[in-house]
Amino acid sequence: MIVHFAAGAPVEEYVRRYDGIRLGDAVVTSSKHKEFDPAYEPYVVKKFVAKDDVQLASRAYEPQTRLLDLGRGVKIGGTQNVTLVAAGPCSVESLEQIEFSARFCQNLGIKMLRAGAYKPRTSPYTFQGLGLEGLKLLAQMREKYGLLIITEVRDATHVEEVLEYADVVQIGAKAMYDHGLLRRCGRSQKPVLLKRHFGATLQEFVQAAEFILSGGNANVALCERGIRTFETKTRFTLDFSGAAYLKTHVNLPLFIDPSHGVGWRWGVADLARAAVAFGCDGVLIETHPNPAKALSDAEQQLDPDEFSALYQSLGAVAHAVGRKIV
Amino acid sequence: MIVHFAAGAPVEEYVRRYDGIRLGDAVVTSSKHKEFDPAYEPYVVKKFVAKDDVQLASRAYEPQTRLLDLGRGVKIGGTQNVTLVAAGPCSVESLEQIEFSARFCQNLGIKMLRAGAYKPRTSPYTFQGLGLEGLKLLAQMREKYGLLIITEVRDATHVEEVLEYADVVQIGAKAMYDHGLLRRCGRSQKPVLLKRHFGATLQEFVQAAEFILSGGNANVALCERGIRTFETKTRFTLDFSGAAYLKTHVNLPLFIDPSHGVGWRWGVADLARAAVAFGCDGVLIETHPNPAKALSDAEQQLDPDEFSALYQSLGAVAHAVGRKIV
Amino acid sequence: MIVHFAAGAPVEEYVRRYDGIRLGDAVVTSSKHKEFDPAYEPYVVKKFVAKDDVQLASRAYEPQTRLLDLGRGVKIGGTQNVTLVAAGPCSVESLEQIEFSARFCQNLGIKMLRAGAYKPRTSPYTFQGLGLEGLKLLAQMREKYGLLIITEVRDATHVEEVLEYADVVQIGAKAMYDHGLLRRCGRSQKPVLLKRHFGATLQEFVQAAEFILSGGNANVALCERGIRTFETKTRFTLDFSGAAYLKTHVNLPLFIDPSHGVGWRWGVADLARAAVAFGCDGVLIETHPNPAKALSDAEQQLDPDEFSALYQSLGAVAHAVGRKIV
Amino acid sequence: MIVHFAAGAPVEEYVRRYDGIRLGDAVVTSSKHKEFDPAYEPYVVKKFVAKDDVQLASRAYEPQTRLLDLGRGVKIGGTQNVTLVAAGPCSVESLEQIEFSARFCQNLGIKMLRAGAYKPRTSPYTFQGLGLEGLKLLAQMREKYGLLIITEVRDATHVEEVLEYADVVQIGAKAMYDHGLLRRCGRSQKPVLLKRHFGATLQEFVQAAEFILSGGNANVALCERGIRTFETKTRFTLDFSGAAYLKTHVNLPLFIDPSHGVGWRWGVADLARAAVAFGCDGVLIETHPNPAKALSDAEQQLDPDEFSALYQSLGAVAHAVGRKIV
């Protein structure tokens, strides 16, 4: 059995797991790693647990889905058999808007509020998010409504802020390859939800998670949110086949995002129910007080009535597959 | 409101539907259509019910999902709220093999047996199917076990045979663009299950159905079976986002095929449950008496125990979304 | 060294090539092949020249590009170092239109006229081609202007007609998987230009050629014409990387079709020059007397002036890479 | 005529170009932009030069290809009619290795050396590049051999270093969406080569360039380096169709990277000649003193003999299309 330690990896844990490795066995691979953490050096070994560079995330390394404690009593993965619903608008737009959403979630019994403050827009000529101001509004909602906050970090220039304000740091699809982010999150213990880039193979997706895991942060969940294909009637193609691969081969809790996965309001409810029956550990669903006025992703956000109806229907589906909605 | 009649289309029906059109209005578009059916000529009008060449299949033409009577009391679509499970091996390989499968289906209460006799293999150097002999074995199973038979037609050279032996003619993914097949099926009244080519847009997929519908055969169902994307850890990417488009915009009953959609045994059960919760009208699932010995698609066929366990779990999921498994 | 003979394969040729195989060695693989050609049976052997089911087309079987004699003194492949330019409109639309094109080609010194009579349109509500009437017009052009004719067969229902009228039978992208066609062409000696389906892997593409080659017809050329990707500003993505694979690994002459490969007039000239510098054996370019009036593919056909200017520029490019335009 | 000014955009230049706009006309769009540059506020106008958020890069804004002065007398774009060849290894690995490459380039008359110091590897368990040490080695080569240096910035954490050491900053495919990088480069005047993400549409690609341009840096060139498709026999699909779109619709100089575009040594030479005949403004080609020993991209780097032969052949191709290799 073989493991290759990366910079800053918690060596003792590996050693504990593998009989065949003793601390004295370790060999330095390359002086280039020094930049990250010189202390790890004597422990790096040239050994792999699995082929293809998926190591710590693979079920060959740890068969059971990792348990993630997200705070305020919410745990996913492990033997919890729960599916977490995180809901909220695409972007924080104003105090009124986000407070409407927070109260709406609280009333339904939803425990995690999602909303973006740093938006990775494709155009420089559109709304770019409220930035730090948005993070502060989210923190207010956490205090006032007792909600967990998940929000996106766009790039390495503001990662410290997001680490400070969020309960779960979301690395969005477009930032999945951002080494600056991945490495910084690996030196934190904050839970990270890593979304798959729409052009990333499953292999690359899990390898991006390995950057965080091997850096020393074991609290990582994955999110399938749709890949880019030739189809244009939907904005993305939600890759349930890929999700099936991740669920069976990878030990990280798995989220599915039906809102981005289809990109149009008409598809979200059926896909969300499919995701719950599929047996994922969490779903992210966008809902906005008034989608027609949304500053981003107007077409895919559910209005409050649509979302309530969907949310009410999820419990029975979860129950049919031995799970519970939290 | 505008409709463009195609060769052989049942003009009276269109006229009945559209106030603004009278039979006398019709205009011939092109002498090229003569080859198919000269009789239609005086009725062709240059009018469309929807933009983008999806006409008879669109919910703008007929809002409700079409009701398909597949025979032996099995009906799907309409207001039935049922999801049909069709099961069986990839290919008919021998009497023993197919009889095992037929008995297995009958015991579980499954009403439709699927198996291929003409296999559209990618290589000329592998098993190509039993052909007519296979069709005859399937017909035997229908008589002996009271099952409906769905089987694939590979190309126009044997379409008459398949029309004669099958209860439902399956036009496989690779034959989706085959005009010889589509046009011939348009002149039959036999139910047709049209599978999406793995490289076809939803637009092209529905337009292929329009060739059958406009030819005069209203008994068409669609099947999403996975598209080809950059991902290689799964054989195809089951396009649930596309299925959501079809379910909301197209009036044809919709099947989902999780077996081809992921291509590996480990993904089939979760995807089949997702498909049922999604609310499709039918699922196709491959199961083989002994997958390891299968002459085609060995990796994706469930063994009898795996399939039974999956099948037992589908009823509760269907119930959770207001449907019933048939 | 291993070869697997397919139905109807010219066994003696294989035996001649491989020292290790004698006619007496051959073993029947499966009674299923009987349907195609019972006579081949005693010669089938379970041996392959290459892994992955590419056999007769691989450079491991025959290192040199095959020489194709297209008639009227035109030869491609082998050691000819020529690039054939085939030009003409997307569809035969009328005598006037096709005669303009034929005369235009003749004046420029072009030897092969391309035009479709059976069009594989995606919609049943558009122009479907002139069919047999179109083939007869093309045959007239051959006689009157001394041109070679390449035209498309859409499906197996009219393959006999196209085999009779064409000098080179084009199997279009949408028909690439049509076994009825591939097998029928394998029993002819007519040169076949097989176009890659826009959703086909290179592996499947060459395997489709293997159906023809193993059926006994060695006169096959391939054509890359663009694959379907996520990009929508171009109609297809001309796969030059795939063309590089085919050129280096496959022994069949290779055509490139810049017109379909980009789908817009503005891209054709630069891509055609790139194709010639790349070193392919042929290019197909669409040009129409009046593109704005074309009944199909109006956006991608060059007008006579644009085409003339392009054609004049190709000679120097070919010369720069040691080739000659024919 | 309509222009929308972005944060920090040089308003006067826009005003100069457009008769219809006077500085007094400008309207603030959103207080969210304040974070970037409060000073721009009074000048932002709600006007666009083109639909679809491609503005400053579009030929509707500026018809002629922009002229880029890369230093040491090397200019591309404008009316130069040159194709720049930048060559060198994938990564800087050691002084010996990079000095071999620098001398090799100098001997051939090549003016720009390419090599990576910060490598965006997909796995944390492989060589990650020499980092700052690599940048310093490249700077040595510039001084000693008179070469321009192009090297990649991986993420926002080391962008200052790369801006300091490189003559041209390469934003690699995986970093194309990195707003931290794009915005920082927009505040510099250093020439930037922006590579297309393998999952990015042309629209997104040009919009990423708009982040730099609208930030105030007009010195941007684009590089097509292959997109990710379903094909696996090549590592990527070099998108010549997309390149044709960019060449005809976008006013930024265009590079093509055949090395990454196919990912295998056997394809590079034919694709490089195709790129030159296509008429691009630059090509990036990987060559390594000993590819078999390369620490990254071993399969696609040419050895010195292969590269020399290719390089010698490019002049004639360029000449055939009215260009010159620099």
Side-chain angles (χ1 to χ4, degrees):
Chain A
M1 206 158 23
I2 0 186
V3 176
H4 184 138
F5 292 11
V11 175
E12 291 72 14
E13 188 201 0
Y14 298 9
V15 172
R16 181 175 49 71
R17 285 176 183 276
Y18 299 113
D19 294 350
I21 300 180
R22 286 156 321 185
L23 224 54
D25 288 349
V27 183
V28 178
T29 49
S30 153
S31 62
K32 285 92 219 176
H33 284 135
K34 274 188 213 162
E35 58 180 301
F36 309 125
D37 182 0
Y40 84 97
E41 247 196 74
Y43 309 118
V44 171
V45 293
K46 276 179 181 280
K47 293 185 168 181
F48 283 86
V49 66
K51 56 183 172 138
D52 79 20
D53 288 354
V54 172
Q55 307 295 329
L56 308 176
S58 116
R59 292 210 188 267
Y61 171 79
E62 168 61 66
Q64 199 176 54
T65 303
R66 287 162 184 252
L67 180 70
L68 251 66
D69 188 338
L70 306 177
R72 299 182 184 253
V74 178
K75 293 177 186 173
I76 59 170
T79 55
Q80 303 283 305
N81 280 326
V82 299
T83 299
L84 175 71
V85 176
C90 178
S91 304
V92 189
E93 298 171 2
S94 67
L95 174 60
E96 296 65 32
Q97 176 245 22
I98 197 64
E99 185 144 25
F100 179 100
S101 291
R103 209 163 33 224
F104 177 68
C105 285
Q106 189 196 43
N107 286 340
L108 287 171
I110 286 172
K111 300 192 174 61
M112 183 177 281
L113 177 66
R114 56 138 295 147
Y118 289 99
K119 302 302 299 174
R121 305 306 297 276
T122 50
S123 168
Y125 308 120
T126 55
F127 176 58
Q128 308 286 312
L130 295 184
L132 182 55
E133 182 189 344
L135 293 181
K136 289 178 180 168
L137 290 173
L138 287 170
Q140 268 185 259
M141 297 306 108
R142 171 173 43 215
E143 298 319 314
K144 190 155 173 194
Y145 298 96
L147 295 164
L148 292 166
I149 300 297
I150 180 169
T151 193
E152 183 168 1
V153 56
R154 187 172 61 203
D155 60 63
T157 59
H158 52 263
V159 58
E160 300 303 333
E161 293 175 16
V162 178
L163 280 166
E164 182 185 341
Y165 284 94
D167 295 299
V168 178
V169 173
Q170 179 181 310
I171 299 182
K174 286 177 188 153
M176 191 205 87
Y177 296 103
D178 186 331
H179 286 220
L181 274 189
L182 296 172
R183 288 171 178 176
R184 177 63 189 88
C185 289
R187 293 193 302 271
S188 165
Q189 290 304 310
K190 185 77 81 175
V192 177
L193 183 68
L194 179 67
K195 293 185 106 173
R196 182 184 186 186
H197 188 280
F198 42 75
T201 60
L202 295 166
Q203 174 72 23
E204 287 178 353
F205 182 26
V206 184
Q207 283 179 326
E210 292 276 330
F211 273 95
I212 307 174
L213 295 167
S214 70
N217 185 352
N219 302 309
V220 180
L222 301 177
C223 181
E224 161 58 30
R225 48 76 73 208
I227 58 173
R228 180 163 278 167
T229 68
F230 57 78
E231 185 52 55
T232 58
K233 293 214 183 280
T234 57
R235 285 174 66 198
F236 291 97
T237 298
L238 192 51
D239 184 5
F240 267 91
S241 299
Y245 173 83
L246 295 171
K247 191 182 174 195
T248 49
H249 292 76
V250 172
N251 64 33
L252 306 177
L254 178 65
F255 282 61
I256 289 179
D257 175 348
S259 301
H260 287 88
V262 63
W264 296 96
R265 191 171 298 112
W266 43 254
V268 174
D270 283 328
L271 291 173
R273 283 187 284 266
V276 171
F278 171 85
C280 64
D281 300 295
V283 289
L284 295 184
I285 305 176
E286 288 191 355
T287 173
H288 188 281
N290 184 352
K293 299 277 177 111
L295 295 180
S296 54
D297 281 352
E299 300 86 351
Q300 78 193 27
Q301 303 194 59
L302 301 184
D303 70 27
D305 289 347
E306 291 167 330
F307 181 81
S308 291
L310 165 58
Y311 185 72
Q312 309 298 348
S313 75
L314 295 179
V317 178
H319 183 74
V321 296
R323 286 181 169 260
K324 198 164 165 285
I325 297 295
V326 294
Chain B
M1 204 160 20
I2 359 184
V3 176
H4 184 139
F5 292 10
V11 175
E12 290 73 13
E13 189 201 0
Y14 297 9
V15 173
R16 179 175 51 71
R17 284 177 183 275
Y18 299 113
D19 294 347
I21 299 180
R22 287 156 318 184
L23 223 54
D25 288 349
V27 182
V28 178
T29 47
S30 154
S31 62
K32 287 89 217 179
H33 284 136
K34 274 188 211 162
E35 57 179 303
F36 308 126
D37 182 359
Y40 85 95
E41 248 195 74
Y43 309 118
V44 172
V45 292
K46 277 178 182 280
K47 294 186 167 179
F48 283 86
V49 65
K51 57 182 171 137
D52 80 17
D53 288 355
V54 171
Q55 307 294 330
L56 307 177
S58 114
R59 291 207 188 270
Y61 172 79
E62 167 61 65
Q64 198 175 54
T65 303
R66 289 161 184 252
L67 179 70
L68 252 66
D69 187 338
L70 306 177
R72 299 182 183 253
V74 178
K75 292 177 186 170
I76 60 172
T79 55
Q80 302 283 305
N81 280 327
V82 298
T83 299
L84 174 70
V85 176
C90 178
S91 305
V92 189
E93 297 171 4
S94 67
L95 174 59
E96 295 67 34
Q97 177 246 19
I98 198 63
E99 185 144 23
F100 179 100
S101 291
R103 209 162 34 222
F104 177 69
C105 285
Q106 191 197 41
N107 286 339
L108 287 171
I110 286 171
K111 298 193 174 63
M112 184 177 280
L113 177 66
R114 57 138 294 146
Y118 288 98
K119 302 302 299 174
R121 305 305 297 278
T122 49
S123 167
Y125 309 120
T126 55
F127 176 59
Q128 306 286 314
L130 294 184
L132 182 56
E133 183 188 342
L135 293 180
K136 290 180 179 167
L137 290 173
L138 287 170
Q140 268 184 259
M141 297 306 106
R142 170 171 46 215
E143 299 318 314
K144 193 156 170 193
Y145 297 97
L147 296 163
L148 292 167
I149 300 298
I150 180 169
T151 193
E152 182 168 2
V153 55
R154 188 172 59 204
D155 60 64
T157 59
H158 52 261
V159 58
E160 300 302 334
E161 292 175 15
V162 178
L163 280 165
E164 182 186 342
Y165 282 95
D167 295 298
V168 178
V169 172
Q170 179 182 311
I171 298 182
K174 287 177 189 153
M176 191 205 87
Y177 295 103
D178 186 331
H179 285 221
L181 273 189
L182 296 172
R183 289 171 177 176
R184 177 62 189 89
C185 289
R187 293 192 304 270
S188 165
Q189 290 304 310
K190 184 76 81 175
V192 176
L193 182 69
L194 179 67
K195 294 185 104 172
R196 182 184 186 184
H197 190 279
F198 41 76
T201 60
L202 295 165
Q203 174 73 22
E204 287 180 353
F205 182 26
V206 184
Q207 283 180 326
E210 292 278 328
F211 274 95
I212 307 175
L213 296 167
S214 69
N217 185 353
N219 303 307
V220 180
L222 301 177
C223 181
E224 161 59 31
R225 49 73 74 205
I227 58 172
R228 181 164 278 167
T229 68
F230 57 77
E231 184 53 55
T232 58
K233 292 212 184 282
T234 57
R235 286 173 66 198
F236 292 95
T237 298
L238 191 52
D239 183 7
F240 266 91
S241 298
Y245 173 82
L246 295 172
K247 191 182 174 194
T248 48
H249 293 75
V250 172
N251 64 32
L252 307 177
L254 178 63
F255 282 61
I256 289 180
D257 175 347
S259 300
H260 286 88
V262 62
W264 296 95
R265 191 172 297 113
W266 41 254
V268 174
D270 283 328
L271 291 173
R273 283 187 285 264
V276 170
F278 171 86
C280 65
D281 301 294
V283 289
L284 295 183
I285 304 175
E286 287 192 356
T287 172
H288 188 281
N290 184 352
K293 298 280 177 110
L295 296 180
S296 54
D297 281 353
E299 299 86 352
Q300 79 192 27
Q301 304 194 59
L302 301 184
D303 71 28
D305 288 346
E306 291 166 330
F307 181 82
S308 291
L310 165 59
Y311 185 72
Q312 309 297 347
S313 74
L314 295 179
V317 178
H319 183 74
V321 296
R323 286 182 168 259
K324 198 164 165 285
I325 297 294
V326 294
Chain C
M1 206 161 20
I2 358 184
V3 176
H4 185 139
F5 292 11
V11 175
E12 289 74 12
E13 189 202 359
Y14 297 8
V15 173
R16 179 175 50 72
R17 285 177 182 276
Y18 298 114
D19 294 348
I21 299 181
R22 286 156 320 185
L23 222 55
D25 288 349
V27 183
V28 178
T29 48
S30 155
S31 61
K32 287 91 218 177
H33 284 136
K34 275 189 212 164
E35 57 178 302
F36 309 126
D37 182 5
Y40 85 95
E41 247 196 75
Y43 309 118
V44 172
V45 292
K46 277 177 181 279
K47 293 185 168 179
F48 284 85
V49 65
K51 58 184 171 130
D52 80 20
D53 289 355
V54 172
Q55 308 295 330
L56 307 177
S58 115
R59 291 209 189 267
Y61 172 79
E62 168 61 65
Q64 199 177 52
T65 303
R66 289 162 183 252
L67 179 70
L68 251 66
D69 187 338
L70 306 177
R72 297 180 184 254
V74 178
K75 293 177 186 172
I76 61 171
T79 55
Q80 303 283 305
N81 280 327
V82 298
T83 299
L84 174 70
V85 176
C90 179
S91 304
V92 189
E93 297 172 3
S94 67
L95 174 60
E96 295 67 32
Q97 175 246 20
I98 198 65
E99 186 144 23
F100 179 100
S101 291
R103 208 163 34 224
F104 177 69
C105 285
Q106 192 198 41
N107 286 340
L108 286 171
I110 285 172
K111 299 192 174 63
M112 184 176 280
L113 177 66
R114 56 137 296 145
Y118 289 99
K119 302 301 300 173
R121 304 306 298 277
T122 50
S123 167
Y125 308 120
T126 54
F127 177 58
Q128 307 287 311
L130 294 184
L132 183 55
E133 184 188 341
L135 293 181
K136 289 179 180 167
L137 290 172
L138 288 170
Q140 269 184 258
M141 297 306 106
R142 170 172 44 216
E143 299 319 315
K144 192 155 171 193
Y145 297 97
L147 295 163
L148 291 167
I149 300 296
I150 180 168
T151 193
E152 182 168 2
V153 56
R154 188 172 60 203
D155 60 64
T157 59
H158 52 262
V159 58
E160 300 303 334
E161 291 174 16
V162 179
L163 280 166
E164 183 185 339
Y165 283 94
D167 294 299
V168 177
V169 173
Q170 178 181 313
I171 298 182
K174 286 178 189 153
M176 191 205 87
Y177 295 103
D178 187 331
H179 286 221
L181 274 189
L182 296 172
R183 287 170 179 175
R184 177 64 189 88
C185 289
R187 293 192 302 270
S188 165
Q189 290 304 309
K190 185 78 82 177
V192 176
L193 182 69
L194 180 66
K195 293 185 105 173
R196 182 183 185 186
H197 189 279
F198 42 76
T201 60
L202 295 165
Q203 174 73 21
E204 286 179 354
F205 182 27
V206 184
Q207 283 179 326
E210 292 277 330
F211 274 96
I212 307 174
L213 296 167
S214 70
N217 184 354
N219 303 308
V220 180
L222 301 177
C223 181
E224 162 59 31
R225 46 78 71 206
I227 58 172
R228 180 164 278 166
T229 67
F230 56 78
E231 185 52 57
T232 58
K233 292 214 184 279
T234 56
R235 285 172 67 198
F236 291 96
T237 299
L238 191 51
D239 183 6
F240 267 91
S241 299
Y245 173 83
L246 295 171
K247 190 182 174 194
T248 49
H249 292 77
V250 171
N251 64 33
L252 307 177
L254 178 65
F255 282 61
I256 289 179
D257 175 347
S259 301
H260 287 87
V262 63
W264 297 96
R265 190 171 300 112
W266 42 255
V268 175
D270 282 329
L271 291 173
R273 282 186 285 265
V276 171
F278 171 85
C280 66
D281 302 293
V283 288
L284 295 183
I285 304 176
E286 288 191 355
T287 173
H288 188 281
N290 184 353
K293 298 278 175 112
L295 295 180
S296 54
D297 281 353
E299 299 86 351
Q300 79 193 26
Q301 304 193 59
L302 301 184
D303 71 28
D305 289 346
E306 292 167 327
F307 181 81
S308 292
L310 166 59
Y311 186 72
Q312 310 297 349
S313 75
L314 295 180
V317 179
H319 183 74
V321 296
R323 287 181 168 259
K324 199 165 165 286
I325 297 295
V326 294
Chain D
M1 202 159 22
I2 358 184
V3 176
H4 184 138
F5 292 10
V11 174
E12 290 72 14
E13 188 200 1
Y14 299 6
V15 172
R16 179 175 51 70
R17 286 177 182 274
Y18 299 114
D19 294 348
I21 299 180
R22 287 156 319 186
L23 223 55
D25 288 348
V27 182
V28 177
T29 48
S30 153
S31 62
K32 286 91 217 178
H33 284 135
K34 276 187 212 165
E35 58 179 302
F36 309 125
D37 182 0
Y40 84 96
E41 249 195 75
Y43 310 118
V44 171
V45 293
K46 275 178 182 282
K47 293 185 169 180
F48 283 86
V49 65
K51 57 182 170 134
D52 80 19
D53 288 355
V54 172
Q55 308 294 332
L56 307 177
S58 116
R59 291 208 188 268
Y61 172 79
E62 167 61 66
Q64 197 175 54
T65 303
R66 289 161 183 252
L67 179 71
L68 252 67
D69 187 337
L70 306 177
R72 298 181 184 254
V74 178
K75 293 177 185 171
I76 60 172
T79 54
Q80 303 283 303
N81 279 327
V82 298
T83 299
L84 174 71
V85 176
C90 178
S91 304
V92 189
E93 296 171 5
S94 67
L95 174 59
E96 295 68 32
Q97 176 246 20
I98 198 64
E99 185 144 25
F100 179 100
S101 291
R103 208 163 34 223
F104 177 69
C105 285
Q106 190 197 41
N107 287 339
L108 287 171
I110 286 172
K111 301 193 174 60
M112 183 176 282
L113 177 66
R114 55 138 295 146
Y118 288 99
K119 302 301 300 173
R121 305 305 298 277
T122 50
S123 167
Y125 308 120
T126 54
F127 177 59
Q128 307 287 313
L130 294 185
L132 181 56
E133 182 189 344
L135 293 180
K136 290 179 179 167
L137 290 173
L138 287 169
Q140 270 185 256
M141 297 307 107
R142 170 173 45 214
E143 300 318 313
K144 192 156 171 193
Y145 298 97
L147 295 163
L148 292 166
I149 299 297
I150 179 169
T151 192
E152 182 167 1
V153 55
R154 188 172 60 203
D155 59 66
T157 58
H158 52 263
V159 59
E160 300 303 335
E161 293 175 16
V162 179
L163 280 165
E164 182 185 342
Y165 284 95
D167 295 297
V168 178
V169 173
Q170 178 181 311
I171 298 183
K174 286 177 189 154
M176 190 205 87
Y177 296 103
D178 187 331
H179 286 221
L181 274 189
L182 296 171
R183 288 169 178 176
R184 177 63 189 87
C185 289
R187 293 192 303 270
S188 165
Q189 291 304 311
K190 185 76 83 176
V192 177
L193 182 69
L194 179 67
K195 294 185 104 173
R196 181 183 186 185
H197 189 279
F198 41 77
T201 59
L202 296 165
Q203 174 73 22
E204 287 179 353
F205 182 27
V206 184
Q207 283 179 326
E210 293 277 330
F211 274 95
I212 307 174
L213 296 167
S214 70
N217 184 353
N219 303 308
V220 180
L222 301 177
C223 181
E224 161 59 30
R225 48 75 72 207
I227 58 172
R228 182 164 277 166
T229 67
F230 57 77
E231 185 53 56
T232 57
K233 292 213 183 280
T234 56
R235 285 173 68 197
F236 291 97
T237 298
L238 192 50
D239 184 7
F240 267 91
S241 299
Y245 173 83
L246 295 171
K247 191 182 173 193
T248 49
H249 293 76
V250 172
N251 64 32
L252 307 177
L254 177 64
F255 281 62
I256 289 179
D257 175 347
S259 301
H260 286 87
V262 62
W264 296 96
R265 190 171 299 113
W266 41 255
V268 174
D270 283 328
L271 291 172
R273 282 186 286 263
V276 171
F278 171 85
C280 65
D281 301 293
V283 289
L284 295 183
I285 305 175
E286 287 191 356
T287 172
H288 188 281
N290 183 351
K293 297 279 176 111
L295 294 181
S296 54
D297 282 353
E299 300 85 352
Q300 80 193 24
Q301 303 194 59
L302 301 185
D303 70 28
D305 289 346
E306 292 167 330
F307 181 81
S308 291
L310 165 59
Y311 185 71
Q312 310 297 349
S313 74
L314 295 179
V317 178
H319 183 74
V321 295
R323 286 180 168 260
K324 198 163 164 285
I325 297 292
V326 294

